[in-house]
Amino acid sequence: MERGDLNKDKTGVFTGAYAINPVNGKKIPVWTSDYVLMGYGTGAIMAVPAHDERDYAFAKKFGLDIIEVIKSEQGVEKEAFTGDGELVNSGFLNGLRVKESKAAMIKWLSERSLGNAKTTYKLRDWVFARQRYWGEPIPVVHCPKCGVVPLPEDQLPLTLPEVEKFEPSGTGESPLATVTDWVNTTCPHCGGPAKRETNTMPQWAGSCWYYLRYMDPHNDNALVDPAIEKAYGPVDCYIGGAEHAVLHLLYARFWHRVLFDLGVVTHPEPFQKLRHQGMILAFSYRDKMGAYHGYDEIDFKDGKAYLKTTGEELSPMVEKMSKSKKNVINPDDILNQYGADAFRMYEMFMGPFEASKPWDMKGIEGISRFLKRVAGWSENVKLSDQSDPRKSEILKNKTIAKVSEDIENFRFNTAISALMVLFNDISKLPQVSQDTFQTFLKLLHPFAPHLTEEIWQQKGYEGFVVKSAWPVVNPDMMQDDTVEIGVQVNGKVRDRIAVPANAAREELEAAAKASAKVQRSLEGLYITKVLDVPGRMVSFVAAPKK
């Protein structure tokens, strides 16, 4: 049975042979297909057509039996059911849910010596040595008499020697091999002369468990206090680039599983979820001959790029940052020119968190101008102990809800957009309430922490923004007094009108009919049906008058 791409044509041939299910003795027809996953088991793959989309498509094409074994409300006549449920047509497993049935099946097989539970980790072999100075030293010595001997615990941790030269040794060995005072030592087993291992561990040796040490960094007696690890672990969210994080995540899980089996940690998994962050790309510029040119060689005019020396217009292309493409953006230059807040905020404003997006200097210019406007407004704003106009109060509460939800879901770019909308509103008011002013600073703080802390201190507020309570939504201030709805006549929008937010259906229809534009569109017609989308649309279906 094949397990391939759903988009590929399902091809297969019944071999005429049957396999015997060792559990129930049932004969199962054996099919062969044009492609299988040879890396999956032996390449001979079981099929569950009622509960796998690929198997379902194969079975439908060749008229194979589709027997439901997980009960579903809709049945499996039209599509495979891939959800959880109770087992049916499954003998002694009937009535159990999927997870329970797996455990029961493993137990049944084990009791009859037909099979055993096994956990398989799809990890590639990892060369655990590097020929360089910087890295965790491997705590073993090489003794001519005793062989490879691990250091006793009372000699740990083994630390790197202080050296002035970090260059390669020239012999293929680690730079540590040249530090003879450190290399030459005594064997902890026999006391004779021995040499330390000069290879160091790879960088992931430390990064696979550092999150545990962050929980308890000053503990001199253990890797992490079990009570602290139990309270803080597992990590809520692991964030990393897609090219790096997937493999690193596997290694980190492997290390954590070892620590769990040893009783060092109490949670079997280190992280609750993984989020990939998109790659920051950049525009590269090439001339007609295909040569790349750096930003210092280019004049930008009217949205186009021209070579300074010849005036030739250059072709832009969005690519990964690379020295060879001369499109690398130096973070230090950005920090020096715009500051950390603008840099930080622009990176979150560039686009969706998971998407790869190009760096654009016009974009960070815009963020920088916004923060400068906030700084200037905060110096001159008139603050009041009175509430703001209802419209602004409603917008403030909607922004609290929006920013809170967006931060929780990594939608930083839309959270920043909402803050810009709120700022445009409150910056036009003759005076702003203390509550609104502080709320705006708190909402902006995760994106521009330095500026907001500075403004907070300038206004004489107590403590720090970062330690203040996050704003809470007032549910009574979330509903607009009026909303704008569209009015259609025979599917075409003829007008947009403002109506009370809590207007009944009859009021909406009356207001829609009162529109002069709608009345002109209904001339010579009579209304046969009225369709409503509450809070969004009133639609009239009309026919010619006889």
Side-chain angles (χ1 to χ4, degrees), residues 469-491:
W470 187 253
V472 178
V473 171
N474 179 354
D476 296 331
M477 285 290 180
M478 287 288 287
Q479 182 65 53
D480 291 315
D481 293 330
T482 61
V483 294
E484 187 181 82
I485 65 170
V487 184
Q488 290 184 345
V489 176
N490 289 337

Side-chain angles (χ1 to χ4, degrees), residues 95-335:
L96 298 176
R97 300 191 75 81
V98 172
K99 186 175 181 180
E100 298 168 337
S101 70
K102 291 178 181 178
M105 191 72 248
I106 291 172
K107 181 181 178 182
W108 190 93
L109 290 169
S110 179
E111 290 174 346
R112 289 159 178 77
S113 299
L114 294 173
N116 294 295
K118 182 180 179 181
T119 301
T120 302
Y121 292 95
K122 295 182 180 179
L123 283 174
R124 298 198 297 268
D125 287 341
W126 184 9
V127 179
F128 201 76
R130 297 293 185 271
Q131 290 72 46
R132 61 188 180 201
Y133 168 83
W134 187 253
E136 295 87 345
I138 298 173
V140 299
V141 301
H142 298 272
C143 175
K145 295 181 180 179
C146 307
V148 179
V149 181
L151 290 183
E153 287 194 19
D154 61 6
Q155 294 185 27
L156 298 178
L158 176 62
T159 58
L160 292 168
E162 295 288 341
V163 298
E164 294 182 0
K165 294 181 64 177
F166 301 92
E167 290 84 0
S169 62
T171 64
E173 295 180 289
S174 164
L176 284 173
T178 65
V179 189
T180 55
D181 291 345
W182 183 82
V183 172
N184 295 321
T185 185
T186 57
C187 173
H189 186 265
C190 70
K195 293 184 179 294
R196 296 193 190 279
E197 172 61 57
T198 58
N199 284 329
T200 57
M201 300 184 198
Q203 67 274 21
W204 283 1
S207 67
C208 282
W209 57 270
Y210 69 89
Y211 53 91
L212 293 171
R213 192 62 184 172
Y214 277 3
M215 299 178 188
D216 195 11
H218 303 297
N219 193 328
D220 293 330
N221 301 312
L223 172 66
V224 60
D225 186 294
I228 293 176
E229 184 272 333
K230 186 174 183 179
Y232 285 103
V235 175
D236 293 326
C237 186
Y238 176 110
I239 299 172
E243 292 184 348
H244 162 84
V246 173
L247 189 57
H248 181 266
L249 175 66
L250 285 174
Y251 285 129
R253 292 181 66 202
F254 173 80
W255 280 63
H256 194 93
R257 177 68 68 168
V258 171
L259 294 173
F260 177 75
D261 291 344
L262 292 172
V264 176
V265 296
T266 58
H267 301 281
E269 290 287 346
F271 316 113
Q272 295 197 59
K273 62 182 177 181
L274 166 68
R275 291 294 297 265
H276 285 152
Q277 61 189 20
M279 183 179 294
I280 304 298
L281 308 175
F283 285 101
S284 60
Y285 296 88
R286 290 188 289 184
D287 59 27
K288 293 177 182 178
M289 301 301 293
Y292 287 97
H293 295 276
Y295 295 109
D296 57 339
E297 305 173 76
I298 301 171
D299 279 330
F300 294 95
K301 299 176 184 178
D302 303 321
K304 296 182 180 180
Y306 301 91
L307 193 59
K308 287 180 179 179
T309 54
T310 65
E312 176 188 341
E313 184 177 342
L314 303 176
S315 301
M317 182 176 294
V318 176
E319 299 179 283
K320 292 171 73 171
M321 289 189 189
S322 166
K323 290 182 180 179
S324 64
K325 295 179 173 62
K326 298 186 178 182
N327 65 345
V328 174
I329 306 295
N330 188 333
D332 292 338
D333 296 339
I334 301 299
L335 289 169

